[in-house]
Amino acid sequence: MIEVCRIIGTPPERIFAVLADGWSYASWVVGAAHIRAVDDRWPAVGARVRHRVGPWPLQIEDQTVVRQMEPNRLLELDAHAGPLGIARVRLALEPISAGATRVRMGWKAAAGAARFVPEAVLALMLRPRNSETLHRVEDIAVHRQLPAP
């Protein structure tokens, strides 16, 4: 599994609020271009975000499905990307103080063509991409005004 880690200066609840907002998915996932629909149950297990991935005009309509979820602690997704296959993405949140959270993002090819690419080659592309993803999560979680629960 290819993993990146970032310490974000906010509690896990604020970070999970970003992850739990399916309509914000394209704001923090590098490569996601447009959200077409979000299941009302998101981020419950089995819920889906339907999105487009890739640069215009070569976008692919696809989806991401929740595999596992523990509020404020864990979100595991199957991110579909057309012929490239399915990526298993795991976002684990660990409080390290009252105002800081360690976020670990793991990525592995679960199906499709990406399974045949050596992990070292994938890591060269995905570590920077996934680091940028966590940077975007941080920007939203730290700076966005969240709706009242």
Side-chain angles (χ1 to χ4, degrees):
M1 182 167 273
I2 298 165
E3 186 174 271
V4 295
C5 181
R6 185 172 190 89
I7 295 176
I8 299 177
T10 196
E13 295 80 14
R14 286 192 58 88
I15 297 165
F16 196 81
V18 174
L19 305 178
D21 176 4
W23 289 103
S24 79
Y25 186 84
S27 298
W28 56 271
V29 174
V30 175
H34 174 75
I35 303 303
R36 301 182 342 257
V38 178
D39 287 356
D40 291 339
R41 301 178 320 109
W42 182 271
V45 172
R48 300 168 191 274
V49 168
R50 288 161 182 85
H51 52 75
R52 289 188 187 123
V53 296
W56 185 89
L58 306 174
Q59 294 178 341
I60 299 167
E61 291 195 1
D62 230 320
Q63 65 183 350
T64 294
V65 182
V66 177
R67 289 184 47 82
Q68 189 176 358
M69 187 273 293
E70 295 176 38
N72 305 322
R73 298 200 57 216
L74 175 71
L75 186 62
E76 185 173 292
L77 307 168
D78 275 349
H80 297 239
L84 296 176
I86 300 171
R88 177 98 9 98
V89 180
R90 183 178 182 87
L91 295 142
L93 286 58
E94 175 191 349
I96 57 173
S97 71
T101 305
R102 179 178 291 115
V103 182
R104 294 184 190 280
M105 180 179 178
W107 186 103
K108 79 173 189 178
R115 288 182 308 152
F116 303 106
V117 178
E119 188 170 301
V121 173
L122 286 173
L124 288 173
M125 296 180 296
L126 291 171
R127 280 200 178 99
R129 175 205 180 262
N130 293 348
S131 290
E132 172 62 19
T133 292
L134 291 186
H135 186 81
R136 292 177 183 193
V137 169
E138 177 179 31
D139 285 344
I140 297 167
V142 170
H143 300 293
R144 180 174 83 169
Q145 182 69 30
L146 298 175

